[in-house]
Amino acid sequence: FVQLLQLFCSFRGQRRHGLMQNWPNASCLLGLAGAAAMEIAPQNLFVWNPHWQCFVWNQNECAEHVIEALNMFLVAFDVDFATVIELADPTYQSPSGYEFLK
């Protein structure tokens, strides 16, 4: 199905300024995205922004609580990919089985 949709989108040109161009339209792109999603295993994703103030000001031990909650959440919910914005702790160690990229 995905190959058929790709073929359809690649040959479906659109007239722009008198020129035919093989730009896929939005419906083709959405169709491809939906078809690709059907073939990909579900992923557990996590996005969190605890804000830099938590780490710099560290009121009420905020940084320690964030690190503890983050590590617990990653493992408890078997997170496949996480983005933690403004994690301002150079000593952070991810839980076993996870890789921390800066």
Side-chain angles (χ1 to χ4, degrees):
F1 175 74
V2 173
Q3 288 85 7
L4 182 62
L5 196 53
Q6 286 172 332
L7 183 65
F8 170 76
C9 288
S10 68
F11 287 109
R12 183 176 179 173
Q14 294 182 1
R15 184 169 295 281
R16 296 202 194 275
H17 306 291
L19 301 173
M20 288 297 290
Q21 297 178 356
N22 287 330
W23 293 347
N25 63 20
S27 63
C28 283
L29 294 176
L30 289 173
L32 284 171
M38 290 186 307
E39 296 184 4
I40 296 174
Q43 301 286 307
N44 292 327
L45 309 176
F46 177 70
V47 178
W48 188 19
N49 185 351
H51 297 282
W52 64 269
Q53 294 94 331
C54 175
F55 295 95
V56 174
W57 299 336
N58 200 21
Q59 290 181 316
N60 301 316
E61 299 177 345
C62 181
E64 291 81 10
H65 293 297
V66 164
I67 298 300
E68 181 182 352
L70 171 62
N71 288 345
M72 186 175 15
F73 194 92
L74 292 173
V75 175
F77 292 96
D78 193 26
V79 173
D80 296 302
F81 182 84
T83 298
V84 181
I85 303 153
E86 297 182 347
L87 178 66
D89 182 355
T91 65
Y92 174 71
Q93 295 291 314
S94 58
S96 177
Y98 289 88
E99 182 178 1
F100 178 63
L101 305 173
K102 294 182 182 182

